Amino acid sequence: MRYGEKIVASFDIDKDLEIWPNKFQKNYKITITLPEFSCLCPRSGYPDYATFILEYIPDLWVVELKAVKLYINSFRDRHISHEESANEVFDVLYQKLEPKWMKLTADFNPRGNVHTLIEIDSERFEKEV
């Protein structure tokens, strides 16, 4: 196994997702584009590819970029649906960062003439109890 494969295979969201203190009190938006998301279809096993765009206004914390890259790469060999992967990424990052606002757009490449775009926005789509 090569060093990159080892790092991705051993990635643990609880200990490896580094977050740092936000040094700024003003509102500013961070946009992170992740154009190489991949996972496996839970039904067929075929690969699915997507561009994830994460946008957030930090409060007390910001996420370290290499940690986000490793987290996203950890989906590569997982059998997981489009909806489940997008919701997991959003929920994990929202819980860890506790931002003022967050939006995740998961734009999956078409497969079989079907294109999926998933948007999760902490302001627009509040969780109903």
Side-chain angles (χ1 to χ4, degrees), residues 53 55 86-87 90-91 94 100-106 117-129:
I53 301 170
E55 302 170 86
N87 276 282
F90 181 90
D91 291 348
Y94 193 81
K100 295 177 182 175
W101 169 82
M102 180 180 278
K103 179 179 179 183
L104 178 73
T105 303
L117 182 71
I118 299 167
E119 294 180 335
I120 307 166
D121 185 322
S122 64
E123 190 173 281
R124 287 184 52 206
F125 306 111
E126 292 190 22
K127 187 175 182 178
E128 294 181 17
V129 181

Side-chain angles (χ1 to χ4, degrees), residues 48-111:
D48 286 314
Y49 303 99
T51 297
F52 277 28
I53 301 170
L54 175 68
E55 302 170 86
Y56 70 101
I57 297 173
D59 190 8
L60 301 176
W61 304 102
V62 296
V63 68
E64 195 271 330
L65 295 177
K66 183 178 178 185
V68 171
K69 175 185 79 169
L70 293 174
Y71 176 46
I72 291 300
N73 288 345
S74 74
F75 284 82
R76 180 187 64 208
D77 296 325
R78 287 182 58 189
H79 293 86
I80 188 168
S81 71
H82 297 175
E83 299 83 3
E84 189 177 353
S85 60
N87 276 282
E88 179 181 318
V89 169
F90 181 90
D91 291 348
V92 163
L93 294 175
Y94 193 81
Q95 178 187 18
K96 299 264 186 199
L97 296 173
E98 299 177 352
K100 295 177 182 175
W101 169 82
M102 180 180 278
K103 179 179 179 183
L104 178 73
T105 303
D107 186 358
F108 283 84
N109 292 1
R111 185 161 57 82

